[in-house]
Amino acid sequence: MRSSAEDLTTRARIRDAAIGLFGRDGFARATVRAVASTAGVSPGLVIHHFGSKAGLRDACDQHVLAQTATQGREKADPVSTRQLIQDYLNHPDQYADEITYIRRTLSDESEAGDAFFDAVVKQTQDIIHAGMEAGTIRKFDDVRSTAVVIASNSLSILMLGRHLSRTLGTLGPEPHGIGPELLRQLTLPALEIYTHGFYADARFLDAAREAINTNTSTNTGREHAP
Amino acid sequence: MRSSAEDLTTRARIRDAAIGLFGRDGFARATVRAVASTAGVSPGLVIHHFGSKAGLRDACDQHVLAQTATQGREKADPVSTRQLIQDYLNHPDQYADEITYIRRTLSDESEAGDAFFDAVVKQTQDIIHAGMEAGTIRKFDDVRSTAVVIASNSLSILMLGRHLSRTLGTLGPEPHGIGPELLRQLTLPALEIYTHGFYADARFLDAAREAINTNTSTNTGREHAP
DNA sequence: TCGCAGATTGAACAAGTGTTTAGTCTATGA
DNA sequence: TCATAGACTAAACACTTGTTCAATCTGCGA
């Protein structure tokens, strides 16, 4: 369900070209002239529509991340999430630019990236709470930290997708590397760890518990943030 | 154990300044003039020593990643790894530039980043094999994919450290966000998942096994890479 | 002491950058 | 019909970029 063809307003065409180039080359490396050339317009028109290169970036941020955030908020339940994944697996190239752009936004420092990450964590937290009540997810003391860990692990595929697919030899036509083959190959190992754990017993966990409990008083670390 | 003071050769001072700026601002945004100014020399001298800006990047890659790779290869056993972590927790700011630089290298496309990631995966694979024999790590069918998942999860702290500490409120003076407080707060939740799992039972795992086994024949995916 | 190779600099160059500006084209409403 | 607003362009501007170059400075071996 995307505006696919060339029947877009010029402003939208420029913005989409910028999303592709900003994601692929980064904001600094991507030039206004390249964006204009990709969109088939003159450099001046880019400035005319967006005020400045920074304004163009803001428009891209708002478009990609607002869209993804609302999608995420609407489809917070596991069923819709599964449908979203299925939709992606059927049309992977439709989302390529968005994925690359989000990865770049999370890498560079930006308020849009911060907001997106926080939204993912919040959504994960909601899922964990619901799963704990439903009995599908184990009970955790520190749900917030657990959600941060899970979100971080999930987003690592987004951040390192190129490396993952390169190492596993599942590199498809997608520049970010996150293709159906990669997901198919990682799903079972990840779910095994999430189901039966990674370690054979609680040795490491107990040792860490003890170390942290004894260290908190003697350590040189600063006080806890309020 | 770092060459701390100003008793460095000019070439090394330029390289260290570049490591800091390339990591913080990225290769494109960081200018030769800024590197020269930080090192207290003229822009021409930077070129004189490294041939070009790209040559300077190569030197930085080789310095940071070769150093880290050898460290990783020497300290592959869990005991030394723990000592390395302890060493970091005691002197976090000494490693700040290296951490930021490695994160940037993994984000941008570069052979050095590829080699580093592969080294981490290989090291993780060795640890898993050893742990499986020693009985501390569960038995996995697909050790390579499991190692990729574990490595990806571990590196996510590196890639998203700024977001993690920002969300959890453990932001210290480090620009990358990976401070002692963050690690202390994430250790137990991560180890709990790695020990007892995340899901309450094998429902999701079994469902995924079934879905993948039935899909592999009917799916439109291409053949497996050799 | 001399000479020379390398370190180092300041200024300049050429290319590329974001942005501005003057002007043309086009549609739309009075 | 015509005036006006906005889309749009080509050219230029001001600035930054990486790099070069001629010229000094410095240390060291003969």
Side-chain angles (χ1 to χ4, degrees):
Chain A
M1 314 296 183
R2 288 295 171 82
S3 46
S4 53
E6 279 286 338
D7 50 8
L8 282 170
T9 177
T10 304
R11 191 187 143 94
R13 247 177 38 239
I14 295 174
R15 185 206 52 213
D16 286 355
I19 288 171
L21 288 176
F22 286 168
R24 204 174 309 276
D25 304 331
F27 180 72
R29 260 180 301 238
T31 69
V32 172
R33 280 172 173 81
V35 171
S37 167
T38 303
V41 298
S42 70
L45 190 62
V46 176
I47 303 298
H48 170 73
H49 274 300
F50 297 94
S52 67
K53 193 187 179 186
L56 177 58
R57 196 236 306 258
D58 291 345
C60 293
D61 281 350
Q62 206 217 344
H63 184 74
V64 174
L65 299 174
Q67 173 180 284
T68 313
T70 55
Q71 265 190 5
R73 211 160 290 157
E74 290 171 2
K75 311 191 172 176
D77 59 302
V79 179
S80 299
T81 302
R82 196 148 310 207
Q83 279 182 350
L84 181 62
I85 293 177
Q86 275 297 332
D87 189 37
Y88 170 70
L89 288 180
N90 291 336
H91 317 282
D93 42 331
Q94 299 273 44
Y95 296 84
D97 281 349
E98 274 84 353
I99 289 178
T100 309
Y101 190 88
I102 292 175
R103 190 187 73 77
R104 263 259 140 63
T105 309
L106 284 174
S107 284
D108 305 346
E109 304 191 14
S110 81
E111 294 185 19
D114 292 0
F116 179 83
F117 183 84
D118 292 347
V120 171
V121 169
K122 183 176 164 54
Q123 187 180 333
T124 305
Q125 206 170 343
D126 293 346
I127 291 177
I128 292 179
H129 270 127
M132 280 170 57
E133 286 196 20
T136 57
I137 293 178
R138 288 190 52 250
K139 303 268 185 185
F140 290 97
D141 296 333
D142 191 346
V143 173
R144 171 143 195 89
S145 295
T146 304
V148 168
V149 170
I150 296 291
S152 175
N153 287 354
S154 307
L155 287 176
S156 73
I157 299 181
L158 182 64
M159 306 300 290
L160 297 167
R162 221 195 65 247
H163 290 286
L164 299 177
S165 56
R166 183 180 48 74
T167 296
L168 291 174
T170 60
L171 242 174
E174 320 87 9
H176 46 70
I178 308 168
E181 288 196 46
L182 176 70
L183 298 182
R184 199 179 305 145
Q185 187 151 355
L186 292 185
T187 298
L188 284 188
L191 273 180
E192 266 196 32
I193 293 170
Y194 277 0
T195 302
H196 300 303
F198 173 69
Y199 294 116
D201 50 47
R203 241 178 293 180
F204 288 104
L205 177 59
D206 293 341
R209 277 218 183 91
E210 206 167 317
I212 284 187
N213 286 342
T214 58
N215 261 20
T216 37
S217 51
T218 65
N219 209 332
T220 62
R222 50 192 95 72
E223 297 292 331
H224 291 275
Chain B
M1 317 293 186
R2 287 297 171 80
S3 45
S4 53
E6 279 286 338
D7 51 6
L8 282 169
T9 177
T10 304
R11 190 188 144 93
R13 248 176 38 238
I14 296 173
R15 177 200 3 96
D16 286 355
I19 289 171
L21 287 176
F22 286 169
R24 204 175 310 275
D25 305 332
F27 180 72
R29 261 181 299 241
T31 70
V32 173
R33 280 173 172 80
V35 171
S37 167
T38 304
V41 299
S42 69
L45 191 62
V46 176
I47 304 297
H48 170 73
H49 274 300
F50 296 94
S52 67
K53 193 187 179 185
L56 176 58
R57 197 238 305 260
D58 291 344
C60 293
D61 281 351
Q62 205 217 344
H63 184 74
V64 174
L65 299 175
Q67 173 180 285
T68 313
T70 54
Q71 265 190 6
R73 211 160 290 157
E74 290 170 3
K75 312 192 172 176
D77 59 302
V79 179
S80 298
T81 301
R82 196 148 307 209
Q83 278 182 350
L84 181 63
I85 293 176
Q86 275 299 332
D87 188 38
Y88 170 69
L89 288 179
N90 292 337
H91 316 281
D93 42 330
Q94 299 273 43
Y95 296 85
D97 282 349
E98 274 84 352
I99 288 177
T100 309
Y101 189 88
I102 291 175
R103 190 187 73 77
R104 263 257 140 64
T105 309
L106 285 174
S107 284
D108 305 346
E109 304 190 15
S110 82
E111 294 184 19
D114 292 0
F116 179 83
F117 183 84
D118 292 346
V120 171
V121 169
K122 183 176 164 52
Q123 187 179 334
T124 305
Q125 206 169 344
D126 293 347
I127 291 177
I128 292 179
H129 270 129
M132 282 170 56
E133 285 196 19
T136 57
I137 293 177
R138 288 190 51 251
K139 303 269 184 184
F140 290 96
D141 296 333
D142 191 346
V143 173
R144 171 145 195 89
S145 296
T146 304
V148 168
V149 170
I150 296 290
S152 175
N153 287 354
S154 307
L155 287 176
S156 72
I157 299 181
L158 182 64
M159 305 300 289
L160 298 166
R162 220 194 66 247
H163 290 286
L164 300 177
S165 57
R166 184 179 49 75
T167 295
L168 291 174
T170 60
L171 243 175
E174 320 86 9
H176 45 71
I178 308 168
E181 288 196 45
L182 176 69
L183 298 182
R184 199 179 304 144
Q185 188 152 354
L186 292 184
T187 297
L188 285 188
L191 273 180
E192 266 196 32
I193 292 170
Y194 277 179
T195 302
H196 299 304
F198 173 68
Y199 295 116
D201 49 47
R203 240 178 293 180
F204 288 103
L205 177 59
D206 293 340
R209 277 218 184 91
E210 206 168 317
I212 284 187
N213 286 342
T214 59
N215 261 19
T216 37
S217 51
T218 65
N219 210 331
T220 62
R222 50 192 94 72
E223 298 292 330
H224 290 275

